Amino acid sequence: MTRLRFLRPAAALLLPLALLSSACSTTSAADDGPGGGSSLVLRVGDQKGGSEAVLRAAGELDDLPYRVTWSTFTSGPPLLEAINAKAVDIGGVGNTPPVFAAGAGSKITVVAATHGDSAGEAILVPRDSPLRSPAELRGRSIAVAQGSSAHYQLIASLAKAGLKPSDVKVNLLQPADALAAFTSGKVDAWAVWDPYTSQVLQSGKGRVLTDGNGVVNGLGFQVAAPAALADPKKAAAIGDFVERLRRAQDWVYRHPEAWAKVWSKETGLPYEVALASVKRSNGTRIAVAIDPAAVASEQRIADTFAGLGLIPHRFRFADFVDTRFNKNLPPSTTPARSYGKGSS
């Protein structure tokens, strides 16, 4: 059985508090431009420097035919809890939170997908660590956020190295506590995602032991509340919203420096860290269809966690998918964008 040990946070943190605060219940309104007076309101769950920031930077909030209210969360799992509670209509998460939510019987529906480079999904070790391969993690302590995309990346990377979760000491920690544990030497490794990966690398305090390329699917999702999708007007707004996000992602790829400046300002990340993260992972995403390959890939994640007893039971991921917004998008296996060698 996997051993779980919880660590107390250290005093000093590298990442800005804007990225590490608890789930925020404060809701801010979108632009009061066209659509600002509309009676239709789309409630969007977001993360700091996420959808609202990128849509605004790309000019996609300028002509809304509906109003948007934003609620900010620190990560995907609490955002999906809000969707299940009908407090939020839609929000963006990584590839693993929907699996945990669906496995717990939450009322959620995956409605849109992106595929990005998985280099930002990494297992980090301190710069002076003697560890040189994932196989050497046996008996070592590793921090990871439960139910995050990094959680599956850790399990998959261990399996590739011939190890089981029970072969290591898994410490279930949210990023703030995990970062403190990592920098203070209380854990031997940290499984995490960008921009935390870029933050540690740019600080010189750690290096990549292995990344997610070849072991994770690189997918990210927009997840909606079934009740919102059942409302024709709100469903139309959701369709419009995901189209705006797709155009905004295209803008990010074409303007990495401009987006890095915005992202830096929104989150408190140093510009160099933001730009490194954009080029390593954030800017590489491409909108893709939720197709059978995507569903099968998510099913493998679900089956893996069910087999380990980390979700209550097996289920069909396809039952939590709505493909109406696929349109003519490319397959989910379409290669991620790239800024070229050495760009990160």
Side-chain angles (χ1 to χ4, degrees):
M1 179 177 289
T2 303
R3 286 183 285 177
L4 307 181
R5 183 166 57 90
F6 294 87
L7 302 177
R8 302 299 298 173
L13 300 179
L14 284 176
L15 285 171
L17 292 178
L19 280 179
L20 301 179
S21 58
S22 299
C24 177
S25 59
T26 302
T27 303
S28 59
D31 284 349
D32 288 327
S38 172
S39 61
L40 179 61
V41 178
L42 188 66
R43 302 167 302 168
V44 180
D46 200 11
Q47 298 181 47
K48 197 69 177 177
S51 297
E52 181 180 13
V54 72
L55 287 167
R56 195 177 300 282
E60 290 292 341
L61 292 181
D62 295 343
D63 58 348
L64 290 173
Y66 46 86
R67 289 196 306 116
V68 176
T69 58
W70 305 90
S71 297
T72 305
F73 301 84
T74 54
S75 61
L79 192 160
L80 294 186
E81 288 175 15
I83 289 177
N84 178 58
K86 300 181 182 179
V88 169
D89 297 319
I90 187 171
V93 298
N95 62 359
T96 304
V99 165
F100 272 78
S106 295
K107 293 180 174 62
I108 62 164
T109 304
V110 174
V111 296
T114 60
H115 181 220
D117 195 299
S118 298
E121 298 271 353
I123 298 177
L124 305 173
V125 294
R127 193 171 184 84
D128 58 356
S129 170
L131 302 178
R132 295 292 167 183
S133 74
E136 296 173 17
L137 288 169
R138 184 185 297 273
R140 301 286 187 158
S141 57
I142 308 169
V144 67
Q146 183 172 14
S148 66
S149 57
H151 197 171
Y152 180 71
Q153 192 253 331
L154 171 61
I155 291 171
S157 295
L158 290 174
K160 188 176 180 180
L163 300 176
K164 303 184 296 296
S166 57
D167 292 325
V168 301
K169 301 170 186 175
V170 177
N171 296 265
L172 298 177
L173 300 172
Q174 286 298 308
D177 290 354
L179 175 62
F182 180 80
T183 56
S184 64
K186 292 183 178 178
V187 294
D188 299 304
W190 182 19
V192 73
W193 59 92
D194 254 337
Y196 302 101
T197 297
S198 293
Q199 176 81 13
V200 170
L201 297 181
Q202 291 292 117
S203 73
K205 295 183 180 294
R207 56 181 171 81
V208 174
L209 184 68
T210 187
D211 65 32
N213 283 315
V215 294
V216 298
N217 58 24
L219 296 175
F221 298 110
Q222 289 294 317
V223 181
L229 292 169
D231 179 331
K233 290 183 178 179
K234 193 157 279 192
I238 288 172
D240 177 79
F241 182 78
V242 298
E243 279 296 316
R244 290 170 187 272
L245 281 174
R246 289 162 183 167
R247 294 195 296 266
Q249 186 62 47
D250 291 341
W251 178 88
V252 166
Y253 178 69
R254 296 193 304 268
H255 303 90
E257 291 84 5
W259 168 235
K261 288 179 182 177
V262 173
W263 200 17
S264 173
K265 183 178 179 180
E266 287 282 330
T267 61
L269 284 168
Y271 170 75
E272 294 76 14
V273 171
L275 183 60
S277 183
V278 170
K279 292 190 174 183
R280 178 177 285 108
S281 58
N282 183 275
T284 69
R285 299 169 188 158
I286 183 171
V288 295
I290 305 171
D291 56 14
V295 172
S297 181
E298 290 295 299
Q299 187 67 54
R300 284 191 291 274
I301 296 176
D303 291 345
T304 296
F305 280 116
L308 292 170
L310 295 176
I311 57 176
H313 56 81
R314 295 182 183 272
F315 65 92
R316 290 181 71 251
F317 190 79
D319 293 340
F320 295 84
V321 167
D322 187 330
T323 62
R324 77 176 82 173
F325 306 115
N326 272 352
K327 296 194 172 179
N328 295 317
L329 290 173
S332 62
T333 52
T334 301
R337 291 159 165 160
S338 172
Y339 289 98
K341 272 193 172 183
S343 58
S344 60

